[in-house]
Amino acid sequence: MKIFKSIKWRLQIWYGLILIIVLAGFGITAYQLDRNRQFRQVDQELHRRIGVLANALHRPPQRGLNGNRPPPGQFQRGQNFDGPPPESLPPEQNFPGENFPDRNGRRFPEFTLPTQDIHFFEAIDPHHYYYRIVNRDGDQIAATTNQPDNRLHNSDNFFQPVNQVDDTVGKGGLPVKLVSYETYREAASQLPSEEIVTVGCSVAPELKDLRRTALSLLLVGGTVLIVGLAGGWWFVGRALRPVSEISATAVKISAGDLSQRINVAEAESELGQLAAVLNSTFARLETAFAQQKQFASDAAHELRTPVSVILTQTQAALNRERDAASYKQTVEACQRAAQRMRKLIESLLALARFDAGQEILKRQQFDFSKTVSDCAGLVSPLADERAVKISVEAEPIEIIGDSERLAQVVTNLLTNAIQYNKPEGEVRVKLESQNGLAVLTVADTGQGITAENLPQVFGRFFRADTSRTGAGNSGLGLAIAKAIVEAHGGTIEVTSEENAGTTFTVRLPQG
Amino acid sequence: MRILIVEDEPDLLASLAQALREEGYAVDTADNGDDGLFNAEGTDYDAIVLDVMLPGMDGWEILKRLRKTKKTPVLMLTARDQTRDRVKGLDTGADDYVVKPFDLEEVFARLRAIIRRSANKTTNVIEIGDVKIDTAARNVFFKDKAVEITAREYALVEFLALHRGEVVSRTQLYEHLFDENESSLSNLLDVHVSNVRKKLGAEFIATRRGHGYCIE
């Protein structure tokens, strides 16, 4: 069943089970406590009465129970088995009834009970309590008339020696056994003369009371269970609603709409934190996707122009017969376009390798100042063409790195400094050691970069001018320079002042 | 038909201009935005081929400024084929666009289409009496027979046919049939007119003395 695998259902089932167990435990305990309390009262009363009766029968009667006299010395008036000797006590204190007022505070009269006079007890409490005395043969010697009939009919089984002691009773510490029989509860005690006295009463009112209690408990318990389950269902649903929202959003995102965000209503809760974490992941994904898309689109865009050149050149050339010079022009134009594409592809591949961390640097120790001077020499024809003056001030600094790649960085910075310079401008190149870093600065006196454009300078396909300024400028140079410098554990920064010039600063760890 | 091409990639500009000249158009060129706008505003071109990415003023800006004074049909060359770029171009006032890399044939066809639309024509074929002009194939038929006609003569016929019923001045004809680099001697136009009359009948082009020419 799929439905029962959902967290909501599982929580509900567990919660329901626990609720049932708790309610059942509570109900059973309450019922037991009530039952014990009620039965204890009954038992106490039975106990008291059997004590009175036993003590009464205990005394040496004028006529023994069942006419048998007890053995001499055993059933003396005031005899107390575990008490002090009779001589030391005033005889009056040994009357049991004196010490055992009943529930209503009445005291039993003192008497020595002839067997037939057991009916006397009946007169005291005619409705509730019945009394019975059986001899050791199980024959009923005496009983009150209110003894229930079925007890009489089962009289054969009456005599069961009281060997299971629940309590003791009376002055003699006689054993007492408490038994339940149908709706009756009885206390039986065996006298030393082996007769068994029994006091019983009906517990029907108590049982009725208990049934009512049980019914109330069931009703209350059931109501609590239903309300609890419904509340739990609502509560679990409420608690899990953010999860549904999260998964709904995740579905939308996997469907391709990366702009979706989870609504974080409770940022402090665990789910709120999860949602916030997911949202930031989604945001990063979206940015990465957008960058990737932009990169692909830019790369395609860069390839479109040279492809257009080739297409139009060849199509125009093939439109009609032409002379050799014309074909040559076409072929040369195609070659230029192809070279431009090659350069672009190389740049793209280099960037892709740096992105993937696959670019392997040929690390070796070398004098960076020499690289800088070489590069300055390399770009001097371009500088002359633009009438830009290059000044180099480089102290010898040994660094460990890929000299070819770093030369590429320096050349790129120098070329930019010349190309974006004003005519008769100046490029100042300085290499010095600062705090264990080789610091290269390339400053030009060009028109500068606007503050708005400055953060994008190292971006891919960024050009300060909105158009290409020649086939050599793909807009990837600074992006590649940044990748190379960072692969060396260095940094590259730019500062610019409009109409005054731009300064690039490269910091590389010294070898 | 006189066309202005504004494109900064020299190889592309050269081949486009050459191909369009061979199609019989008079072609002017500009390799940056500022020159492009200057030319576009100063001359009544029949169409302008405008690249979006240009040094100086970009294509959008040229188009925006040009639309304040002129309704010249503009065909944009764009390197981006995203919808938003195309929408932007058309909304700014471009009549059509082609996405780089393009086929020359497509550029020709789209140019013909925007020129035709600007002359309120819906088909490629213009029929005037016994003369039928196929502007797509650049052929002229007289009494259902193909007529041998030079590119310049064709351009003259087509221009007058597209402005049928209007009197077209010699100056207009010079502007539309010759580009800025051609030394246009005044009698050259007369030579073309007389050649066309020989091929399509003397009454095909009427002369309005002191005003110019007209096809009724």
Side-chain angles (χ1 to χ4, degrees):
Chain A
M1 289 289 276
K2 197 182 166 196
I3 179 171
F4 293 116
K5 287 192 175 153
S6 81
I7 290 182
K8 190 175 183 182
W9 270 99
R10 276 194 276 177
L11 277 177
Q12 184 68 12
I13 288 167
W14 278 110
Y15 168 72
L17 283 176
I18 289 169
L19 193 62
I20 287 169
I21 289 168
V22 167
L23 282 174
F26 176 78
I28 289 168
T29 309
Y31 179 81
Q32 282 292 346
L33 283 174
D34 191 44
R35 188 175 185 274
N36 287 350
R37 186 183 58 80
Q38 300 225 20
F39 278 14
R40 193 161 56 241
Q41 280 181 358
V42 173
D43 288 348
Q44 271 173 2
E45 188 58 25
L46 288 174
H47 197 258
R48 193 182 69 81
R49 281 168 193 268
I50 203 160
V52 172
L53 182 60
N55 272 350
L57 294 174
H58 203 196
R59 271 190 296 226
Q62 267 79 44
R63 292 164 286 176
L65 284 167
N66 206 14
N68 300 323
R69 279 194 74 88
Q74 269 195 312
F75 291 97
Q76 297 301 312
R77 184 182 186 274
Q79 172 121 22
N80 193 329
F81 285 105
D82 49 8
E87 304 84 53
S88 65
L89 281 171
E92 297 86 280
Q93 288 186 356
N94 290 328
F95 284 113
E98 298 275 356
N99 300 325
F100 297 102
D102 74 358
R103 273 191 270 199
N104 303 321
R106 289 182 300 182
R107 291 172 191 283
F108 286 98
E110 299 152 27
F111 58 92
T112 301
L113 189 72
T115 313
Q116 60 272 31
D117 289 345
I118 196 167
H119 305 293
F120 182 72
F121 282 89
E122 196 180 341
I124 298 170
D125 204 355
H127 300 300
H128 282 94
Y129 296 93
Y130 56 87
Y131 302 85
R132 179 174 67 240
I133 301 168
V134 293
N135 65 16
R136 59 175 307 167
D137 300 325
D139 299 326
Q140 184 170 307
I141 301 166
T144 53
T145 54
N146 62 348
Q147 178 179 223
D149 292 345
N150 52 358
R151 295 307 271 165
L152 273 176
H153 296 149
N154 292 332
S155 60
D156 285 352
N157 303 321
F158 278 173
F159 186 81
Q160 286 157 339
V162 180
N163 45 18
Q164 197 184 335
V165 180
D166 292 321
D167 204 349
T168 57
V169 78
K171 304 272 180 200
L174 296 173
V176 174
K177 188 187 179 192
L178 292 164
V179 289
S180 276
Y181 178 82
E182 290 176 2
T183 61
Y184 301 95
R185 194 152 172 87
E186 294 178 345
S189 183
Q190 194 164 14
L191 299 176
S193 52
E194 296 197 326
E195 286 94 354
I196 292 172
V197 273
T198 302
V199 180
C201 73
S202 166
V203 288
E206 281 81 5
L207 288 177
K208 195 178 163 195
D209 209 34
L210 280 174
R211 269 200 302 279
R212 230 182 358 249
T213 304
L215 194 67
S216 308
L217 283 172
L218 270 177
L219 273 175
V220 171
T223 311
V224 169
L225 183 68
I226 288 164
V227 170
L229 284 177
W233 185 249
W234 176 78
F235 211 75
V236 168
R238 201 183 137 88
L240 289 178
R241 200 161 50 211
V243 177
S244 313
E245 279 174 22
I246 288 171
S247 56
T249 310
V251 164
K252 279 191 204 151
I253 284 168
S254 60
D257 183 1
L258 283 167
S259 65
Q260 291 284 336
R261 291 289 176 277
I262 299 159
N263 183 18
V264 189
E266 300 159 66
E268 299 306 313
S269 76
E270 292 86 340
L271 283 174
Q273 287 169 14
L274 173 66
V277 168
L278 285 175
N279 274 347
S280 79
T281 310
F282 293 153
R284 266 181 287 131
L285 259 182
E286 191 185 12
T287 313
F289 264 73
Q291 278 173 352
Q292 192 63 35
K293 215 169 147 187
Q294 184 65 40
F295 184 67
S297 148
D298 286 342
H301 169 248
E302 289 302 313
L303 285 167
R304 282 175 198 275
T305 301
V307 172
S308 302
V309 169
I310 292 173
L311 269 180
T312 45
Q313 283 281 346
T314 50
Q315 284 172 351
L318 292 172
N319 260 353
R320 59 195 67 191
E321 288 293 319
R322 300 184 187 281
D323 57 17
S326 175
Y327 285 130
K328 193 177 173 217
Q329 269 184 4
T330 301
V331 173
E332 280 168 354
C334 290
Q335 191 187 23
R336 283 192 291 275
Q339 277 166 346
R340 182 166 157 191
M341 286 195 278
R342 180 178 65 187
K343 189 165 189 232
L344 180 67
I345 288 163
E346 278 169 2
S347 301
L348 288 174
L349 279 177
L351 271 178
R353 280 200 299 269
F354 275 115
D355 280 352
Q358 288 170 348
E359 180 68 21
I360 295 155
L361 298 170
K362 288 172 237 140
R363 288 175 190 275
Q364 60 189 46
Q365 191 162 3
F366 69 99
D367 184 359
F368 193 36
S369 68
K370 200 169 168 302
T371 307
V372 173
S373 328
D374 288 351
C375 292
L378 204 68
V379 298
S380 62
L382 182 65
D384 292 343
E385 194 184 303
R386 306 262 172 139
V388 171
K389 189 169 154 268
I390 301 182
S391 64
V392 180
E393 191 186 317
E395 59 178 80
I397 297 175
E398 292 282 313
I399 62 168
I400 293 172
D402 189 327
S403 59
E404 223 170 285
R405 284 296 190 189
L406 288 171
Q408 191 184 341
V409 173
V410 177
T411 310
N412 182 272
L413 293 178
L414 288 174
T415 312
N416 279 345
I418 294 164
Q419 274 182 344
Y420 293 106
N421 219 316
K422 63 182 183 202
E424 318 260 308
E426 212 185 324
V427 176
R428 283 187 302 275
V429 184
K430 195 172 176 187
L431 178 65
E432 60 191 340
S433 175
Q434 277 179 9
N435 308 325
L437 293 173
V439 181
L440 173 73
T441 50
V442 178
D444 67 39
T445 54
Q447 56 184 358
I449 302 164
T450 60
E452 173 198 354
N453 281 335
L454 206 57
Q456 305 161 39
V457 161
F458 297 108
R460 284 153 195 204
F461 298 108
F462 170 80
R463 289 189 194 90
D465 198 335
T466 52
S467 96
R468 51 208 160 262
T469 52
N473 186 0
S474 65
L476 289 172
L478 283 173
I480 293 173
K482 185 170 194 265
I484 293 171
V485 170
E486 285 176 354
H488 280 85
T491 57
I492 185 165
E493 283 168 18
V494 62
T495 56
S496 188
E497 200 179 321
E498 269 189 85
N499 301 319
T502 307
T503 304
F504 283 92
T505 309
V506 176
R507 292 188 173 81
L508 290 167
Q510 249 172 277
Chain B
M1 297 288 130
R2 187 162 170 188
I3 288 173
L4 172 67
I5 306 175
V6 190
E7 165 64 62
D8 65 320
E9 166 60 49
D11 288 332
L12 192 57
L13 179 62
S15 55
L16 266 178
Q18 185 198 10
L20 285 171
R21 281 191 187 114
E22 286 170 4
E23 281 290 300
Y25 294 101
V27 179
D28 291 350
T29 59
D31 64 1
N32 64 71
D34 299 318
D35 290 354
L37 182 63
F38 179 81
N39 283 355
E41 282 180 330
T43 312
D44 277 326
Y45 289 102
D46 294 289
I48 297 171
V49 177
L50 182 60
D51 191 10
V52 174
M53 296 259 277
L54 291 167
M57 206 183 299
D58 71 10
W60 308 125
E61 189 61 31
I62 294 175
L63 191 58
K64 213 165 83 186
R65 296 207 193 172
L66 180 67
R67 281 287 173 257
K68 287 178 187 163
T69 54
K70 284 202 187 292
K71 289 192 281 187
T72 319
V74 170
L75 176 68
M76 300 289 282
L77 297 182
T78 155
R80 296 189 183 276
D81 61 353
Q82 281 167 1
T83 313
R84 98 183 118 86
D85 292 301
R86 286 178 290 187
V87 169
K88 185 179 174 188
L90 294 174
D91 280 352
T92 316
D95 296 84
D96 206 349
Y97 60 88
V98 275
V99 178
K100 289 182 186 176
F102 44 77
D103 282 308
L104 274 179
E105 286 302 323
E106 190 184 351
V107 174
F108 296 162
R110 288 188 186 271
L111 270 178
R112 282 197 297 271
I114 62 172
I115 291 169
R116 195 170 67 223
R117 276 204 295 271
S118 73
N120 288 320
K121 297 282 186 295
T122 49
T123 62
N124 286 321
V125 179
I126 307 169
E127 283 190 69
I128 300 162
D130 288 335
V131 180
K132 199 162 83 179
I133 305 160
D134 184 343
T135 57
R138 306 181 71 80
N139 288 330
V140 179
F141 300 88
F142 184 59
K143 294 184 174 161
D144 289 331
K145 270 193 217 157
V147 177
E148 286 266 334
I149 196 164
T150 68
R152 192 72 74 184
E153 286 160 10
Y154 172 80
L156 173 67
V157 170
E158 191 194 71
F159 189 80
L160 288 172
L162 286 173
H163 298 85
R164 189 178 175 187
E166 296 171 30
V167 179
V168 182
S169 71
R170 293 174 66 86
T171 322
Q172 266 180 298
L173 282 173
Y174 279 122
E175 271 210 349
H176 289 275
L177 301 186
F178 305 100
D179 64 47
E180 58 198 356
N181 302 319
E182 287 174 289
S183 59
S184 48
L185 298 167
S186 61
N187 64 346
L188 208 56
L189 186 60
D190 298 329
V191 172
H192 292 308
V193 172
S194 111
N195 283 342
V196 169
R197 280 178 175 153
K198 271 180 210 157
K199 291 170 183 173
L200 302 175
E203 69 286 0
F204 183 62
I205 298 175
T207 306
R208 296 275 189 274
R209 295 240 174 262
H211 296 284
Y213 299 98
C214 175
I215 291 179
E216 296 290 347

